[in-house]
Amino acid sequence: MPAARQVLLCSVTMQLLLQSLLLASCLRSAAAFPKGCYPSEEEGLKTFRCSNAQLTEVPRDIPNDTNKLYLDSNRIPFLPRDAFRDLPLLLELDLSHNAITSVESGAFRGLAEHLHSLDLSSNRLVSISKDAFSNLKAKVNLSNNPWLCDCRLQELIRTVDLVAGSSGGITCHSSVQEEHVGKAFLQVIADTDFCNAYKKTTDIAMLVTMFGWFAMVISYLVYYVRQNQEDARRHLEYLKSLPSKQRRSEESSTISTVV
């Protein structure tokens, strides 16, 4: 019996030790997460929620097996390069209702293969390069941002796959043409090709620049010829004022020099 009791005591002690280690591990993990962020499981998918957590940047300690990431309703101002590179299994990313004004090229690098939903609605985006979404196959929501309607936005819209029904929320907060302000962008580009207009403007500017350089070269050549003619005339007048013999010698020298 004493031996059995000792075995039982050891077993209970081991169980308590394992539970303590597990609890300590969980507490350390929880402490590593930003305040207001917590992991969960939704519909069989590992989820990490940081909604309304007063974040001013993308957290660094997000579990790398996360499938759904909610960073909505925070104060994140921009997305740096490789912001989500350690999340190879990410399927959904919600960045809506933040203060995002810029997205660096490569911000979504590493998400191209798996990400199928990206929400950037209700931010402060005015303009983004299409390169920021390079190779991204996700459905993207870009509605309710203060967009500048120009060639850059036109190229972006042609590059990304918009969430169904979200295109009407992409409106011109400002535009290169005043009459487009307040209108849905897809409605505007049905009648206006911003990129073609930009190309024409660029071509005209290039022609004007080339013409300016050409005019400068011609002006210099004309000035150079006239200056030489004036110098030659003055020299001939000087020769005429010399005695006959010296004048002939100088004229011959001048003619040979001109030739």
Side-chain angles (χ1 to χ4, degrees):
M1 288 295 292
R5 240 184 243 144
Q6 188 174 7
V7 170
L8 180 61
L9 183 61
C10 287
S11 177
V12 171
T13 303
M14 287 297 295
Q15 287 182 3
L16 290 173
L17 181 59
L18 287 171
Q19 287 178 357
S20 298
L21 289 172
L22 182 61
L23 180 60
S25 177
C26 290
L27 288 173
R28 278 199 304 272
S29 298
F33 299 146
K35 184 180 179 181
C37 299
Y38 61 91
S40 64
E41 190 165 320
E42 300 178 8
E43 301 176 349
L45 296 174
K46 293 188 176 181
T47 303
F48 194 74
R49 286 190 174 274
C50 288
S51 304
N52 291 294
Q54 304 298 313
L55 298 177
T56 55
E57 63 180 4
V58 176
R60 297 180 182 178
D61 299 314
I62 301 170
N64 58 15
D65 59 351
T66 298
N67 303 128
K68 299 170 71 174
L69 177 59
Y70 292 89
L71 299 174
D72 56 300
S73 303
N74 285 289
R75 296 179 294 177
I76 300 172
F78 77 102
L79 301 179
R81 184 186 300 272
D82 295 322
F84 308 98
R85 67 177 179 179
D86 296 325
L87 301 173
L89 303 180
L90 196 62
L91 302 174
E92 297 181 19
L93 176 57
D94 189 347
L95 290 159
S96 64
H97 296 90
N98 273 281
I100 300 171
T101 58
S102 64
V103 179
E104 288 189 1
S105 180
F108 304 112
R109 186 160 49 193
L111 303 181
E113 294 301 319
H114 300 284
L115 193 70
H116 63 69
S117 176
L118 172 61
D119 194 344
L120 284 166
S121 64
S122 301
N123 276 282
R124 299 177 185 174
L125 295 169
V126 175
S127 183
I128 308 180
S129 169
K130 63 179 180 179
D131 296 334
F133 298 90
S134 180
N135 300 319
L136 204 62
K137 300 171 184 176
K139 295 279 187 181
V140 183
N141 189 345
L142 298 172
S143 61
N144 299 319
N145 281 283
W147 292 110
L148 166 64
C149 290
D150 60 359
C151 179
R152 205 176 192 196
L153 181 58
Q154 183 173 317
E155 289 181 336
L156 174 63
I157 298 301
R158 288 175 176 174
T159 301
V160 300
D161 187 6
L162 296 175
V163 171
S166 68
S167 60
I170 303 174
T171 58
C172 300
H173 184 267
S174 58
S175 176
V176 292
Q177 298 181 29
E178 190 66 28
E179 65 269 22
H180 297 150
V181 175
K183 294 182 179 179
F185 185 67
L186 291 188
Q187 176 188 348
V188 170
I189 59 174
D191 303 316
T192 304
D193 188 339
F194 287 101
C195 295
N196 189 45
Y198 174 78
K199 185 176 182 301
K200 286 181 178 177
T201 303
T202 303
D203 289 345
I204 291 171
M206 188 176 294
L207 285 173
V208 170
T209 302
M210 289 177 64
F211 179 78
W213 279 105
F214 183 73
M216 287 176 63
V217 171
I218 293 298
S219 299
Y220 176 77
L221 288 174
V222 170
Y223 169 79
Y224 180 78
V225 170
R226 286 182 176 174
Q227 188 65 33
N228 282 352
Q229 288 177 341
E230 183 65 21
D231 290 343
R233 185 184 64 78
R234 286 176 184 167
H235 192 62
L236 288 174
E237 288 179 354
Y238 166 72
L239 292 177
K240 289 178 181 179
S241 66
L242 296 174
S244 301
K245 188 182 280 188
Q246 186 178 356
R247 184 174 61 214
R248 279 196 221 93
S249 175
E250 291 285 346
E251 284 178 350
S252 299
S253 177
T254 300
I255 292 170
S256 64
T257 301
V258 171
V259 173

